[in-house]
Amino acid sequence: MAALRALRPFAHREFRVLISALSISIFGSGMWAVAMVYEVIHLGGGPLELSLVATAASVGLVGFVLAGGIAADRVPQRLLIIAVEGANLAVIATITALAMLDVLQLWHLAIGAFVLGVGQAFFFPAYSAILPRILPADDLLAANGLEGTVRPVLQQAAGPALAGILVAALSPAHAVAGVAVCHLLAFGIVNFLSRQTLGLAAPGAVGSDGTPAKSSLFRDLAEGFSYTIRTPWLLWTLIWACLSVLFLIGPIEVLLPFVVQDQLGGDSRMFGFLLAIMGVGSAIAALATASLRLPRRYLTVMVVTWGLGSLPVAAIGFMDSFWMLGAAMLIFGVTEGIGTVIWGTLLQRRVPRHLLGRISSLDFFVSLALMPVSMALAGPIAEVVPIWLIFFVGGLACPIMAFVALFAARMMTDEIQNPLTADASDASDPEAADTQPDAV
């Protein structure tokens, strides 16, 4: 029965279309991550040039993600998704043609990476906002679990693996061509989304006379921020997410390779395998979560799982065994997968539909904004502070902050007052989500 629950979203045609396109698109994104690197190297670039191209993608993503959330609330999400895939196809097809003709230059790659980053900024808020329109509330957990399963498998493993094979056997240009094929297929599939059921954007605010209220970019942003500030469970979860990104992402991405080298005598292959363990753990946990019902104590389970999952990170600086380090990364990945699936479902079920795009993009923004800060700080801090102490502080600070958030937002009371069981009233009326006075 659990396995059947995980597959229930496939009973809906629109979801089958959407998840098929998403899977192919993120597979292409995984291929691009490798193809882009070796295309830069093929053009004679080094670490600096590679950093510039990668930074261009990050600037496009971070710079436009809030605008993407506003667009997802004001423009039909179907059109946004189609437009993004069309833009992705145009960019990658152009880069492929230039590479095949041997006239590609680094600035072409930088511009292409920037446009792809902008596309991601518009795609994911639209994807998050469209799910409650095509699925019953009780199937959203399974849908988010399925996405949490296919993303690490396709984007972090299968896509890069195929691109590496194409680069080694043929050339980086052929790997880029493979990315173009993925986006061509995804673009064709998303055009099958129904115009009748997905032709309108989520309804916005209305004035006292019943007509749509006038809107502006800043007013839309202010509305999203205002809702976040007055909704404790949302605000404190985002605060916890900011701090966890700041304390954990930099050490794992920047300092873990040195732990592998100095404490285990390993190399890049061992580091890559550890990241793969984390990704596989996250995928398996996401699928398992999708197979179950949303917990009655959903906020407590989410926050405590995230918090306790960070504890093994505190011991990384003391580990001298690959299996111990692998177990720590597995636990971290599993708990991240569980919490992320529940979190995505809460946004879709408790945030009013006309705000969902903006709140999703805000969630995306706070995570992305501090990620480069964390990675930039990790190296310099490691010059003056022992690496073991950095992991120890990060691994302890996140669980402590999780419990602070749990009690500061009165989450244990909130989740009882706002049940998300299948027969709860808000399950059938997403527009009424969190309109009751629970944000006190």
Side-chain angles (χ1 to χ4, degrees), residues 275-292:
L275 293 184
I277 290 175
M278 183 176 68
V280 169
S282 179
I284 293 174
L287 183 60
T289 306
S291 304
L292 304 172

Side-chain angles (χ1 to χ4, degrees), residues 1 28 51 113 121 125 133 135 166 170 176 180 182 192 213 233 282 285 333 351 367 372:
M1 291 298 294
S51 178
R133 297 174 60 83
L135 290 175
L166 291 174
L170 299 171
V176 177
C182 290
F192 285 99
W233 69 268
S282 179
V351 173
S367 300

Side-chain angles (χ1 to χ4, degrees), residues 346-365:
L346 296 190
L347 291 182
Q348 292 157 355
R349 293 191 63 177
R350 290 199 58 179
V351 173
R353 188 176 292 175
H354 74 280
L355 289 171
L356 183 52
R358 277 165 284 178
I359 301 302
S360 297
S361 67
L362 181 61
D363 170 39
F364 210 18
F365 177 79

